[in-house]
């Protein structure tokens, strides 16, 4: 199997300066796949440091995702035009979040909707209470239980806060 078992994509629009589109690629790993990825990442960083190179954990994780994506694109292309260098040249930023080390109490869990849950239940969980605002994949009525849902609800909550503060 591949190092990263799931890669999700989302198109983002930059409306602040241009109408340009950007694409967010999210590598989703759990359990032994996540442990294997973090171990390999740590080993690569250690080798870089041993060789006198300064390694950036986030950038290296992004490169590893781009290497896999290049392999996937090459296997589905007759011209083999896409290379890791092509993809890396277009990466704006990369970030890795290791639930085990970065948020040991969260444990990386996400919501599983039970039978009978309705959008109204999720809307109630998302409703602000005074100066307290909520975001997270469990409060999304369109795509709960996904990273996309977490991003969308973060955007929603930030707009609610801006409106509340009358900015």
């Amino acid at each position: 199997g591949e190092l990263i078992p799931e890669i999700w994509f989302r198109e983002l629009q930059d409306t602040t300066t241009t109408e340009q589109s950007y694409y967010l690629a999210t590598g989703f790993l759990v359990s032994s796949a996540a442990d294997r990825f973090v171990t390999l990442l740590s080993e690569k960083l250690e080798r870089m440091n041993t060789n006198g190179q300064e390694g950036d954990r986030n950038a290296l994780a992004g490169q590893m995702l781009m290497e896999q994506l290049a392999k996937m694109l090459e296997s589905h292309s007759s011209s083999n035009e896409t290379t890791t260098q092509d993809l890396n040249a277009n990466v704006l930023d990369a970030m890795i979040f290791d639930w085990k080390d970065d948020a040991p109490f969260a444990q990386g869990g996400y919501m599983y909707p039970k039978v009978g849950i309705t959008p109204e239940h999720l809307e109630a969980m998302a409703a602000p209470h005074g100066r307290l605002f909520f975001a997270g994949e469990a409060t999304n009525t369109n795509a709960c239980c996904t990273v996309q849902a977490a991003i969308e609800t973060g955007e929603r909550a930030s707009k609610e806060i801006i409106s509340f503060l009358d900015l």
Side-chain angles (χ1 to χ4, degrees):
E2 295 293 340
L3 181 61
I4 303 169
E6 293 183 48
I7 301 175
W8 303 332
F9 297 92
R10 178 165 184 226
E11 182 179 13
L12 304 172
Q13 295 287 329
D14 180 2
T15 56
T16 58
T17 57
T18 66
E19 291 296 322
Q20 187 168 357
S21 291
Y22 297 93
Y23 296 90
L24 172 68
T26 302
F28 184 72
L29 299 92
V30 296
S31 190
S32 60
D35 291 339
R36 189 169 48 255
F37 184 86
V38 170
T39 298
L40 184 58
L41 177 64
S42 297
E43 290 170 355
K44 286 184 174 205
L45 283 171
E46 183 64 33
R47 280 194 302 275
M48 290 174 76
N49 292 334
T50 301
N51 294 331
Q53 300 170 314
E54 186 175 327
D56 177 287
R57 185 173 190 252
N58 288 322
L60 184 56
Q63 287 176 345
M64 292 166 66
L65 185 132
M66 291 301 109
E67 288 169 6
Q68 179 172 322
L69 186 56
K71 280 192 242 176
M72 292 166 58
L73 293 172
E74 288 169 4
S75 71
H76 293 288
S77 170
S78 58
S79 62
N80 291 337
E81 293 177 9
T82 305
T83 66
T84 303
Q85 291 83 5
D86 294 332
L87 293 172
N88 281 330
N90 290 292
V91 172
L92 299 178
D93 200 0
M95 182 184 138
I96 181 172
F97 193 88
D98 181 355
W99 287 100
K100 187 185 279 183
D101 290 336
D102 298 340
F105 299 110
Q107 298 294 310
Y110 52 93
M111 191 262 281
Y112 287 88
K114 71 178 196 172
V115 173
I117 197 166
T118 67
E120 290 77 24
H121 292 108
L122 303 177
E123 289 168 4
M125 287 192 292
H129 292 278
R131 298 175 56 95
L132 186 59
F133 297 84
F134 296 93
E137 47 78 31
T139 66
N140 187 304
T141 58
N142 297 317
C144 72
C145 313
T146 66
V147 172
Q148 172 186 335
I151 292 167
E152 289 175 359
T153 61
E155 291 171 351
R156 176 197 35 83
S158 67
K159 289 175 184 173
E160 290 171 350
I161 291 167
I162 289 169
S163 176
F164 179 81
L165 296 174
D166 199 25
L167 297 176

